[in-house]
């Protein structure tokens, strides 16, 4: 596969669903709530600490604001 084809494939795959950040780290805030840190495998940016209600929310991840903004352009 050439680089051009790979890029094309990546673009099409990315257009189908929002770019998600994946779980990177967890902790608890001052109020004892569970918080998680997410990292984007695509652009490498990290989220801020986000309050999560459950482990499932961690696994699901959160949309990457940077990647999704770029796509909307
Ligand atoms: Zn991203």
């Amino acid at each position: 596969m050439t680089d051009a084809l790979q890029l094309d494939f990546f673009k099409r795959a990315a257009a189908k669903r929002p770019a998600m950040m994946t779980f990177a780290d967890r902790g608890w805030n001052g109020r004892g709530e569970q918080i998680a840190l997410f990292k984007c495998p695509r652009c490498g940016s990290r989220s801020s600490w986000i309050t999560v209600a459950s482990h499932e929310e961690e696994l699901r991840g959160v949309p990457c604001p940077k990647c999704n903004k770029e796509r909307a352009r």
Side-chain angles (χ1 to χ4, degrees):
M1 202 183 254
T2 67
D3 287 349
L5 275 172
Q6 273 183 339
L7 189 66
D8 189 51
F9 175 79
F10 186 66
K11 274 187 202 161
R12 273 184 284 134
K16 283 177 188 165
R17 53 188 179 146
M20 298 296 279
M21 291 172 142
T22 55
F23 172 76
D25 200 3
R26 78 158 63 83
W28 284 265
N29 66 14
R31 291 187 298 242
E33 295 167 332
Q34 195 177 336
I35 51 175
L37 193 67
F38 296 89
K39 192 179 176 193
C40 177
R42 191 164 168 246
C43 70
S45 69
R46 284 161 157 262
S47 73
S48 52
W49 287 97
I50 294 167
T51 310
V52 288
S54 65
H55 184 56
E56 282 69 31
E57 271 188 45
E58 289 178 349
L59 293 177
R60 194 162 55 222
V62 294
C64 174
K66 198 181 167 195
C67 290
N68 290 307
K69 194 174 162 191
E70 281 173 8
R71 181 118 27 86
R73 215 185 281 159

